[in-house]
Amino acid sequence: MTVNQKARAWSPRPLGPSITTPRASFKRADWLKARKSPAPGLMTRAESAESWLLQRCGRWSSALLSGFSEPFPCCRCSCRRRLLSGIMVCFRLAPVPGCGFLLFCLVLGTVSSYALELNLTDSSKATCLYAKWQMNFTIRYETTDKHNKTVTISDFDAAAYNGSVCGDDQNGPKIAVQFGSGFSWIVNFTKEASSTSTYLVDSISFSYDTNDNATFPDAKEKGVFTVNNRVALKIPLNDIFRCNSLSTLEKSDVVQHYWDVHVQAFVQNGTVSTTEFLCDKDKTVTTAMPIVPTTAPSPTKPVVGSYSVVNSNGTCLLATMGLQLNITHDKVASVFNINPNTTNATGSCQPQTALLRLSSSNIKYLDFVFAVKNENRFYLKEVNVSVILVNGSVYSISNTNLSYWDAPLGSSYMCNKEQTVSVSGALQINTFDLRVQPFSVTEGKYSTAQDCSADDDNFLVPIAVGAALAGVLILVLLAYFIGLKRHHAGYEQF
């Protein structure tokens, strides 16, 4: 069996041409080892892949994203090849379709989230299983000081697919993914004995190891924990299953999120089907009767939610805010209050950038991208939004040239009054009781806040100075005219 699989990484938007990217390094030793003792029939593919890498990764290229007026540089690719039990495995970084112009590289240093893609082929090199999807996991665990703590797993850059099989007469197909330190995820498929036209997504299991001190540094219980979820989703045999909507599995202390899912476990004749079998949420989206308000309603103030992003070093981003989206699309105004109780928060932290991504059943993603400027301050640089409107259509927009929520590094930005982030003429985001700290978070707590009222004070200072100067000038003029009048009066008396 030959396995051809890719772990894709993409960024909602690159952070601009000012980012400098270090030269990626290639593990040449692994390549030489593979070429000295290749699996039968794989030498030609190995040489071909090496040629591809030299052509695609050995130079800088530029691309122009749809909606952007400036080109930005594409960094060198980072790929690696190795042989696992005679199976060729090639990981390649590439953007998810729909981000704009197709890129063959990942801009290092930008904010990333990851999509996974797996293509299994049988002994005759015909595709037998195909899957592409996005996912993340939120794990709650008890700390040594008897507190509950959560960690979000969303980095699948180094994912492996050992154990993934097409299946045979005795065993069904299986997708097995290993990532991070001690994480594994397995999906089992089975054919129904009573039907020759359908099969089942039978079960999903997820395992994690709290002995990983980088992810669970203060876990009270150490060991490997596994969560099994019975799915029993029936899919037509000749269709590809698609579910772009957010799906959630929750059991014990683990919440699993999936979206942009495409899977066909029993590929017929080596060709992935173009006929889609939609999940119920996608059917609802596409068939829902339009409920179009003629004017924007006046919703109540949104509930204030607390969000955080955790990486290997602990909590790296904190945000507390009430959010309200004001969208005008096709001359119809819509207002959305974001409910933090049904909203999932993920993201990532880099030295120069940080991402907070919010998603829910009707919000595919709402990205807040922060950046460092002048090495001593941070600000909100970018917002990316994709929302499912009440009529079932999807509204998406991005702005990478914002300048909001400016504060010194090592502090947080706070604004209790209502603020408006103008993403475009058609989209404004209202924030309430806002406090954010995307960098330099210590012990999971906010640092000293810079209040937005200080901005108001900054405007009052020049106004006060100008008013004082105007007053002095008026007094001088009055004194001059009074003195001049007395001077003329004295001449008349003499």
Side-chain angles (χ1 to χ4, degrees):
M1 179 183 298
T2 302
V3 185
N4 179 21
Q5 55 231 348
K6 298 178 288 183
R8 291 184 169 183
W10 64 283
S11 172
R13 294 289 182 190
L15 297 184
S18 61
I19 298 177
T20 57
T21 307
R23 184 182 182 93
S25 61
F26 297 90
K27 297 185 178 180
R28 187 67 181 177
D30 291 342
W31 285 47
L32 294 175
K33 181 179 179 181
R35 295 186 64 168
K36 288 180 181 178
S37 56
L42 296 183
M43 177 60 76
T44 301
R45 298 186 65 183
E47 292 172 348
S48 175
E50 182 170 356
S51 174
W52 180 91
L53 281 173
L54 292 175
Q55 293 174 10
R56 294 295 188 270
C57 303
R59 67 172 184 263
W60 285 90
S61 63
S62 63
L64 186 65
L65 277 180
S66 175
F68 283 81
S69 59
E70 294 181 354
F72 62 92
C74 176
C75 73
R76 298 180 185 271
C77 301
S78 175
C79 309
R80 69 174 174 270
R81 159 183 303 276
R82 63 173 180 259
L83 295 180
L84 300 174
S85 303
I87 297 175
M88 185 181 70
V89 183
C90 181
F91 298 93
R92 186 176 71 206
L93 301 179
V96 170
C99 286
F101 192 83
L102 183 61
L103 304 176
F104 290 99
C105 306
L106 169 67
V107 179
L108 299 179
T110 63
V111 181
S112 305
S113 89
Y114 297 89
L116 299 168
E117 184 172 4
L118 172 65
N119 188 71
L120 288 180
T121 58
D122 57 23
S123 57
S124 61
K125 297 183 180 180
T127 298
C128 57
L129 185 152
Y130 176 79
K132 183 176 68 175
W133 72 102
Q134 295 196 67
M135 64 182 180
N136 63 47
F137 306 89
T138 300
I139 305 168
R140 183 176 66 250
Y141 67 96
E142 185 179 1
T143 63
T144 52
D145 56 359
K146 297 183 179 180
H147 288 87
N148 288 325
K149 194 173 182 180
T150 59
V151 60
T152 298
I153 309 300
S154 58
D155 185 351
F156 310 106
D157 185 26
Y161 297 82
N162 303 327
S164 298
V165 295
C166 290
D168 51 33
D169 294 336
Q170 287 75 35
N171 302 297
K174 178 171 65 175
I175 298 175
V177 185
Q178 303 82 39
F179 51 92
S181 179
F183 297 100
S184 67
W185 181 77
I186 297 174
V187 183
N188 290 295
F189 303 89
T190 59
K191 274 189 178 180
E192 286 191 294
S194 59
S195 174
T196 59
S197 61
T198 60
Y199 70 93
L200 295 176
V201 180
D202 188 42
S203 62
I204 297 177
S205 65
F206 172 67
S207 299
Y208 59 97
D209 189 355
T210 56
N211 288 304
D212 175 13
N213 290 323
T215 308
F216 309 98
D218 50 357
K220 180 180 178 181
E221 295 185 38
K222 296 291 186 178
V224 178
F225 298 87
T226 301
V227 176
N228 294 296
N229 292 87
R230 174 72 173 171
V231 179
L233 174 64
K234 185 181 297 186
I235 301 174
L237 192 63
N238 296 318
D239 295 354
I240 183 170
F241 173 73
R242 191 201 81 185
C243 193
N244 291 333
S245 302
L246 182 70
S247 301
T248 302
L249 292 177
E250 184 171 359
K251 188 174 182 180
S252 300
D253 294 323
V254 176
V255 180
Q256 306 178 46
H257 297 281
Y258 306 97
W259 67 99
D260 291 342
V261 177
H262 298 75
V263 62
Q264 186 174 0
F266 294 89
V267 177
Q268 306 297 300
N269 301 319
T271 303
V272 178
S273 176
T274 57
T275 303
E276 295 182 333
F277 177 76
L278 303 182
C279 64
D280 291 338
K281 286 186 177 180
D282 280 14
K283 290 178 183 177
T284 302
V285 167
T286 56
T287 61
M289 293 297 293
I291 304 173
V292 182
T294 55
T295 58
S298 300
T300 58
K301 181 178 176 180
V303 176
V304 177
S306 295
Y307 312 99
S308 63
V309 175
V310 179
N311 62 10
S312 58
N313 297 320
T315 302
C316 59
L317 184 151
L318 292 171
T320 303
M321 52 189 166
L323 290 170
Q324 184 181 88
L325 306 184
N326 291 268
I327 300 173
T328 303
H329 183 60
D330 292 337
K331 298 182 180 180
V332 176
S334 303
V335 181
F336 297 90
N337 280 350
I338 294 181
N339 182 0
N341 298 320
T342 58
T343 300
N344 179 50
T346 59
S348 60
C349 301
Q350 306 291 338
Q352 297 293 315
T353 60
L355 165 70
L356 173 63
R357 163 166 287 195
L358 304 180
S359 58
S360 64
S361 59
N362 64 329
I363 299 177
K364 298 181 72 174
Y365 57 81
L366 170 56
D367 294 346
F368 295 96
V369 181
F370 301 87
V372 174
K373 68 176 181 180
N374 301 327
E375 302 300 328
N376 59 3
R377 300 186 71 85
F378 72 83
Y379 69 107
L380 177 65
K381 184 182 188 298
E382 178 180 343
V383 169
N384 307 301
V385 182
S386 184
V387 180
I388 301 172
L389 302 178
V390 291
N391 63 357
S393 63
V394 177
Y395 175 81
S396 301
I397 196 168
S398 297
N399 190 331
T400 63
N401 295 302
L402 300 177
S403 184
Y404 292 96
W405 308 346
D406 186 296
L409 283 176
S411 67
S412 58
Y413 178 85
M414 182 173 67
C415 195
N416 291 325
K417 65 182 182 181
E418 179 180 353
Q419 277 192 313
T420 299
V421 175
S422 182
V423 180
S424 70
L427 172 63
Q428 290 78 42
I429 302 177
N430 296 332
T431 64
F432 302 82
D433 298 322
L434 169 71
R435 190 170 186 180
V436 293
Q437 185 171 347
F439 300 99
S440 306
V441 177
T442 304
E443 296 181 353
K445 299 178 181 179
Y446 284 109
S447 301
T448 303
Q450 174 172 305
D451 200 310
C452 62
S453 60
D455 299 334
D456 299 334
D457 295 340
N458 291 337
F459 286 106
L460 291 175
V461 170
I463 293 174
V465 171
L469 290 175
V472 171
L473 179 61
I474 293 172
L475 290 176
V476 170
L477 290 175
L478 286 175
Y480 171 77
F481 285 117
I482 292 173
L484 185 62
K485 183 177 180 181
R486 288 182 177 177
H487 181 70
H488 283 292
Y491 273 115
E492 290 175 357
Q493 292 177 0
F494 183 80

